[in-house]
Amino acid sequence: MLRVWIGTLLLVMLVIPTGLAHVENEKTLYDDIETSKALEDIVYLRGMGLIAAEAGAKLYRPLAPLRKADLAYWAGMYHGFGAEGKSPEQVREEAMRRGLVDALEGDATYADVSRAYAEGKASAPDPDAKLTREAFASYMRRLVQDPAEGKALAERIGYKAGPSGVIEQVIEGKEGEGSSAYSTYKIVVGGQEYVLSQHPKALFGPTDLKQWQGKTLEETWLSGAEAGKPELQILKLAKGQFSSEAIAASSGGHEHHGEHGEHADGHEEAKRIPYLPIAAVLLGAAVVLWLRRKPATPREES
């Protein structure tokens, strides 16, 4: 039996990857948005940290009503109430305490969304109308880009439009060492290098960025520009450059870390589990136990 355990641990050490790219696209973010008319909007909102990953299955539920509890969680995470490992319930309670929502029961209206994200200053055709989660995404996307008090929401949270055009080169690098190492990327557009964030969101392309060289970017968004460290956070490729099958094949083989926290700047922190050191310790323990076994007697062997 110990021999079986040792063999299994050795196999684990061989197959576990040491670096992951953390790129997510419309197929890896959610399992149910492919036919949604708000598909692009949903990806943009996740990329900018305006909505956060929820526990459980990777479902957005586009046609479900937007509940005030959902709004409280998303807006609370956006405003930074999820720090220090706060539970979703604590985030919602803090959002209500701070006045982002007036209750955690019932369905949300456009006025509720404006209150949660724009201090009630964002206009809506019918403020008292309830909305689906799909309609919320489309409304928020307009809010992101429409100026309010002289500045669009995207600009107020530190995002600005990035480059478009042909990707002349994809440059892959590595950060960290051993089991903590992960891939980093830069792309060259118009002769200029652009650094990608650790968790970029992509549209209409595979999660393997090495396949993007020579393809055309239709739109991008940079985060961190005001801090002097601009990074590409959202990348939208022109449609039709990759088949749906190619995107699905890449996404199906793409492993990404669970999202344990999302910040207002849209960057997600992923906890890296040191698989290789753990496997090595377990393997060492198994070898010691095996070597210290008492030799079997003839009766035991029979």
Side-chain angles (χ1 to χ4, degrees):
M1 186 65 180
L2 281 172
R3 290 186 179 91
V4 174
W5 275 103
I6 291 171
T8 302
L9 286 168
L10 283 171
L11 180 61
V12 167
M13 292 177 71
L14 288 172
V15 302
I16 289 176
T18 59
L20 300 175
H22 307 296
V23 181
E24 292 184 284
N25 62 15
E26 67 272 19
K27 292 184 180 294
T28 59
L29 276 176
Y30 295 105
D31 295 333
D32 62 347
I33 65 171
E34 189 168 359
T35 60
S36 172
K37 62 184 180 182
L39 180 149
E40 291 187 32
D41 305 325
I42 294 166
V43 175
Y44 273 74
L45 296 191
R46 276 290 296 275
M48 291 188 176
L50 292 162
I51 61 175
E54 298 172 84
K58 295 193 302 180
L59 299 176
Y60 183 79
R61 307 189 305 280
L63 301 181
L66 176 65
R67 303 284 294 172
K68 289 187 178 182
D70 301 334
L71 180 61
Y73 178 66
W74 285 341
M77 292 296 288
Y78 160 69
H79 285 286
F81 302 158
E84 299 177 358
K86 294 288 196 311
S87 69
E89 291 74 20
Q90 290 173 313
V91 173
R92 293 185 179 100
E93 290 292 340
E94 184 66 13
M96 189 168 71
R97 191 181 74 80
R98 300 284 191 99
L100 300 187
V101 294
D102 59 2
L104 297 178
E105 300 295 331
D107 296 337
T109 64
Y110 284 95
D112 292 325
V113 175
S114 175
R115 175 182 181 175
Y117 285 94
E119 300 178 344
K121 297 174 182 177
S123 62
D126 186 354
D128 296 326
K130 296 178 180 179
L131 64 168
T132 64
R133 291 162 66 99
E134 182 177 70
F136 161 82
S138 297
Y139 173 63
M140 282 298 299
R141 175 76 180 282
R142 291 195 298 273
L143 182 61
V144 163
Q145 294 180 295
D146 288 347
E149 297 184 342
K151 269 189 177 183
L153 179 59
E155 188 179 355
R156 293 203 302 274
I157 62 178
Y159 284 82
K160 71 173 186 178
S164 59
V166 175
I167 299 173
E168 298 154 15
Q169 188 178 2
V170 177
I171 305 168
E172 183 178 8
K174 290 286 184 184
E175 290 287 343
E177 297 180 357
S179 62
S180 298
Y182 58 94
S183 299
T184 61
Y185 288 96
K186 296 178 183 178
I187 62 172
V188 178
V189 179
Q192 184 172 344
E193 287 187 5
Y194 296 89
V195 177
L196 271 72
S197 78
Q198 290 186 9
H199 307 279
K201 303 295 182 282
L203 277 160
F204 312 127
T207 56
D208 179 7
L209 294 180
K210 294 187 292 294
Q211 298 181 41
W212 289 25
Q213 188 160 310
K215 305 302 183 184
T216 301
L217 283 170
E218 186 173 289
E219 183 181 356
T220 61
W221 284 85
L222 290 157
S223 65
E226 292 183 355
K229 295 181 179 180
E231 295 180 328
L232 285 169
Q233 179 64 22
I234 302 172
L235 303 97
K236 177 185 174 183
L237 291 168
K239 289 182 179 180
Q241 298 181 95
F242 290 98
S243 67
S244 180
E245 292 77 14
I247 296 174
S250 171
S251 302
H254 172 71
E255 298 182 50
H256 55 86
H257 294 281
E259 294 164 298
H260 298 277
E262 299 195 17
H263 302 276
D265 64 0
H267 291 185
E268 298 143 4
E269 290 183 351
K271 295 179 181 177
R272 296 184 182 85
I273 300 175
Y275 292 105
L276 291 181
I278 290 173
V281 170
L282 291 173
L283 178 60
V287 170
V288 169
L289 288 173
W290 185 35
L291 294 174
R292 294 181 62 182
R293 283 191 313 164
K294 183 177 72 175
T297 64
R299 179 174 295 178
E300 288 174 331
E301 291 179 342
S302 63

